[in-house]
Each structure stands twice: as structure tokens, then as C-alpha cells.
Amino acid sequence: MLGDDAELTAAVRAAQNGDENAFRAVYRTVHPRLLGYVRTLVGDPDAEDVASEAWLQIARDLERFSGDADRFRGWAARIARNRALDHIRMRGRRPAIGGDETELTGRAAESDTAGEAIEALVTDSTLSLIARLPQDQAEAVVLRVVVGLDAKTAAETLGKRAGAVRTAAHRGLKRLAEMLGEDPESAGVLDALPAQRAPRGRAVTSATVTHTRARTQKDM
């Protein structure tokens, strides 16, 4: 499990150079939260399959990615979101978190102990509550609080303005607090959510290198 953004950035670049161990480290770090996002879109039964499809595309297109850890999380989330939309269309299903497919389309991604802890955090009680929010709020909360994107990157993922994403996340968290007040058995779930990331002023570092071969889900 990579401890900070600098380590994740370095691992992404090493993976682009063909380092399979680095790619596995990236996967273990990003996957649990990305899976949580997919679950809010397609529901739990299909989330693993959709996330696997997203990771296959991430592996295939990794050489074309350019940016740091924040950019990578946003890029992976956009891929996962597109795969979720494809799944919803193919199955003729409505998104698990409410709203219809038109609304969703109109808005423009573990083996170690730490990974298992994070995956537990972003499933079960937490995601079941988030799934009860209006769709725009649910996606904003998951991307900002669970996936860990800043407002700008989350807005790029959703095709919305950063201010709109901040507002939706704020309203979603406020509604979650209200729901927790209505359901005493869920007390403590909101406190378990990671804090929203504060915007940072550092510049994005570009990297455009190639990896030696395509990776498969088995490699991860």
C-alpha cells in the first residue's frame, strides 16, 4: 500500500515503464476506493465485474496517461464511470443510486491489511447510506470523500463546475448527517469517512513513458 501521493506518482510512472510490481502497488492503493465508487453506480452484485473492466482499460491505456497521483485517481475514476455507464445501458438498468440514465450521462478509478480496511470502510454501512442520496450528491461525496479527489478533478470527472461539485458534496454530507440522526444504529459511520482533501497549489508533473506489455487482471 503506497503511503502518500509522491509514492503513488512514482509507482504510476514506474508502471508506465513496464514495472509489474509497481502496477500491482498502484492497483492495491487505488482499487478499494474506485470499487466503492463503482458500487454507488451499478450496485454491489455487478461492481467487481465493472471495476475489472475498468482496470483492464487502465492497464491498456496507461502509456497515454500524463500526470501525478491526483490526475491518475481522476483519470481512473472517469474510466470506471464510463464502464459503469456502459454496463447500465447494456443491462437496461437504472443507476443503483437513483436518477435515470439520461441524467447520469449528462454529467460529462485487496490483499493487504490496509487495503482490506479501506475496502470495508467504503462498503456496507457507508455506501448503503450514500446510495440513498440524490445521484449528484452521492457521486460528489464518493469522489471527494471516498476516492479522495479534489473539487477540480472531481468536476472534470463529472463534467461539471468545481463549485457545483463542492455544493453537492456539502449537501450530501449534510443529508448523511441527518440520516444518521434518524437512524441511531448507524452512528459513527459518517465519522469513519476520510476527510475531504484540501486543494493544493502544486503544479502537475507530466510523464509520458511506455510500458512493455499489456497487463491482465491476473497480474494485479
Side-chain angles (χ1 to χ4, degrees):
M1 202 71 175
L2 304 178
D4 56 35
D5 282 2
E7 289 181 348
L8 178 56
T9 299
V12 169
R13 292 174 182 169
Q16 289 180 304
N17 277 321
D19 187 328
E20 299 295 333
N21 288 330
F23 187 82
R24 293 188 186 97
V26 170
Y27 174 83
R28 288 194 297 269
T29 298
V30 176
H31 176 69
R33 293 169 188 264
L34 196 69
L35 179 61
Y37 178 42
V38 172
R39 279 185 169 130
T40 66
L41 295 173
V42 303
D44 189 65
D46 301 321
E48 289 281 0
D49 288 342
V50 173
S52 294
E53 292 173 4
W55 277 105
L56 289 173
Q57 182 177 344
I58 290 167
R60 185 178 67 245
D61 296 345
L62 185 60
E63 64 181 12
R64 297 200 292 270
F65 169 75
S66 176
D68 63 359
D70 278 340
R71 290 283 186 183
F72 181 81
R73 279 187 288 260
W75 179 71
R78 285 193 295 277
I79 290 175
R81 190 173 192 269
N82 288 337
R83 297 287 68 76
L85 288 173
D86 290 344
H87 180 80
I88 290 167
R89 294 187 189 101
M90 185 172 59
R91 299 296 184 187
R93 295 176 50 192
R94 300 169 79 87
I97 58 176
D100 58 27
E101 184 179 337
T102 302
E103 179 185 4
L104 186 60
T105 307
R107 290 195 294 274
E110 178 115 14
S111 62
D112 60 27
T113 302
E116 291 170 356
I118 290 175
E119 186 167 0
L121 170 66
V122 298
T123 55
D124 301 332
S125 298
T126 303
L127 287 182
S128 67
L129 284 179
I130 294 174
R132 292 162 57 186
L133 297 172
Q135 181 181 313
D136 63 331
Q137 295 178 17
E139 285 202 78
V141 168
V142 173
L143 288 175
R144 292 279 281 129
V145 181
V146 178
V147 178
L149 304 184
D150 59 28
K152 180 180 178 181
T153 306
E156 291 172 352
T157 301
L158 298 173
K160 303 179 73 173
R161 297 187 308 276
V165 172
R166 290 191 191 96
T167 298
H170 174 76
R171 290 175 177 171
L173 290 171
K174 182 178 179 181
R175 178 55 188 149
L176 282 175
E178 293 171 352
M179 287 190 291
L180 289 173
E182 296 166 1
D183 182 9
E185 292 186 1
S186 297
V189 171
L190 192 59
D191 291 336
L193 286 169
Q196 292 191 49
R197 295 165 60 101
R200 296 175 306 167
R202 63 182 175 82
V204 172
T205 303
S206 296
T208 308
V209 291
T210 59
H211 60 295
T212 56
R213 66 180 180 86
R215 301 161 185 81
T216 66
Q217 187 74 5
K218 182 179 179 181
D219 292 328
M220 302 168 196

